[in-house]
Amino acid sequence: MGGFIHGFGVVLEPANLLYCLIGVVIGMLIGVLPGLGPAATIAILLPITYGVEPVSAIIMLAGIFYGAQYGGTITSVLLRLPGEASSVVTVFDGFALARQGRAGTALGVAAIGSFIGGTVSIVGLTLLAPVVAKVALDFGPPEYAALSLFGVLLVATVGNGGRLKAVIAAGLGLLLATVGRDTFTGASRFTFDSLNLADGIDFVPIAMGLFGLGEILYNLEERHHKQQQPVAVANAWPSRSDLRQARGAIGRGSVIGFVLGVLPGGGATLSSLVAYAVEKRRAKHPERFGRGAVEGVAAPETANNAAATSSFIPLLTLGIPANATMALMFGALLIQGIPPGPQLVSEHPDLFWGVINSMYIGNILLLIMSIPLVGLFVKILKVRPAVLAPITVLITLLGVYTVANQVFDIFLVIVFGVLGYLMKKFGFEPGPLVLAFVLGSVMETAVRQSLLIFGGNPAGFFTRPISGTVLAVLVVVLALPGLRRLTKRKELV
């Protein structure tokens, strides 16, 4: 408790408070701009941190990371543009609520859920960091293979285009994840001798094309068939009944996000997907999901913010970065001459407790900024489609280009935009494709590493406690529908 109280003394220094504010504001802004992302922003700002005090620099970079989770919600809800993989699930119900004139409800619930999820995760980070980090050390390739397989199977439960169509879309996503150079052998796969595809396809062109451009093309065609009335924006804040409806999802999303965020490789993405699937499975009327369910926004937004915070646990306590952004944070600490790891708490208590406690302040600042801006963001929906559509296309293309400064990525967006239009036209949801693509590369690497460990024997997955338990649960979940049908038949007989 002494270190915890001292941490507040560190973060409440004027300079550190200023850097915390700068970090969360930059994070929120780059979250609103699809494509750039926190990893790219932190990479750009790393040279600036050379001349800044270590505690201030890391506080600012941390603010950028969790602030971007807030900002990504805005474009996901209003424009159907998920800038981050963890925001893909929010699109399903967030955009549907916006189309119903309830964008304020979606953004308000997301802001409150994000704040609660982040705060719960910070409390967990304060109290349980060393314990949780030790548990995370037990996760090897077999455990990640089982978890990613679990995630891919969950993909079939999201969206509202039918389970078979979701599985087909997920299969296409897994296929796209194999494009590029084989990590193990170096062989080129599905590159068609193109150097632009040698390193694989990035998440951003796929998401921007399928969701952004595909949606615009589909809406243009719909407008020709029938005259669409502009969306009536009814409110700029969720009602009490909305908040009551969302509270369970926020509570469960906080726990799911905290636990899964610690795990390397897509913690925020997997946690948002799992939280959404849990809410859909628990719901009395699961058909509401994908058509504007408040819980469908509350659960993934709470989970991905909780996961963003808990991903600091392995970095600060073990020196293990959980994702690409944490790897850059690792680099920032080394630049400052501070090696992250078990000695960080004792050797640099100012930095350890200062960074953790800055997240309490940062989350409060984000909530304070989000609440008055909800009404302003909602007004975007009042812009005529003839004006909004070209602006959305411009944001999409600029966002994609800024990732790698490659014109080829713009062509990819157009290709996936046409694919997104065709999928929408024939009743396929693009969400399962994008989520399977994100999880596919993690799953392939983990499965192949595991098979090397087990000497090619897949039975080895069941010999390890964690991976065996996860796979056993998967088998039970897959078998349950068949058992229910058999039980019903027996009852009828």
Side-chain angles (χ1 to χ4, degrees), residues 7 29 122 124 134 151 166 183 275 292 309 315 317 373 400 408 488 492:
L29 289 174
I122 299 163
K134 285 175 185 174
T183 312
T309 303
L315 176 72
T317 58
L373 290 175
V400 167
F408 180 74
K488 283 180 181 177
L492 289 170

Side-chain angles (χ1 to χ4, degrees), residues 446-468:
V447 167
R448 292 174 70 178
Q449 286 174 339
S450 303
L451 290 173
L452 287 171
I453 293 168
F454 300 140
N457 182 10
F461 287 103
F462 292 93
T463 61
R464 291 171 66 115
I466 298 174
S467 62

Side-chain angles (χ1 to χ4, degrees), residues 7 41 58 60 65 69 84 89 100 108 133 170 202 225 229 240 270-271 306 316 335-336 344 365 403 434 438 463 478:
T41 307
I58 304 304
M60 182 182 73
F65 180 47
Q69 305 297 326
E84 291 287 313
V89 187
Q100 296 166 17
D202 194 61
H225 293 311
Q229 295 298 319
R240 285 186 181 180
L270 185 61
S271 62
L316 295 176
I335 286 168
Q336 299 286 352
L344 188 67
L365 289 172
V403 175
V434 177
V438 172
T463 61
L478 290 172

Side-chain angles (χ1 to χ4, degrees), residues 68-105:
Q69 305 297 326
Y70 273 76
T73 311
I74 297 162
T75 50
S76 293
V77 170
L78 300 181
L79 303 176
R80 206 170 188 254
L81 287 177
E84 291 287 313
S86 57
S87 298
V88 171
V89 187
T90 309
V91 165
F92 303 140
D93 289 278
F95 187 69
L97 283 166
R99 293 290 290 270
Q100 296 166 17
R102 300 179 67 202
T105 298

Side-chain angles (χ1 to χ4, degrees), residues 20-32 59-60 62-74 107-108 110-116 118-119 122 237 305 308-309 358-374 377:
C20 182
L21 178 63
I22 291 169
V24 295
V25 169
I26 292 173
M28 199 168 183
L29 289 174
I30 63 114
V32 172
I59 283 173
M60 182 182 73
I64 290 170
F65 180 47
Y66 57 81
Q69 305 297 326
Y70 273 76
T73 311
I74 297 162
L107 291 174
I112 293 167
S114 297
F115 172 74
I116 294 172
T119 304
I122 299 163
W237 192 247
N305 276 272
T309 303
S358 74
M359 295 180 192
Y360 288 103
I361 307 295
N363 267 282
I364 292 168
L365 289 172
L366 282 166
L367 186 65
I368 291 169
M369 287 190 294
S370 297
I371 290 171
L373 290 175
V374 165
F377 290 135

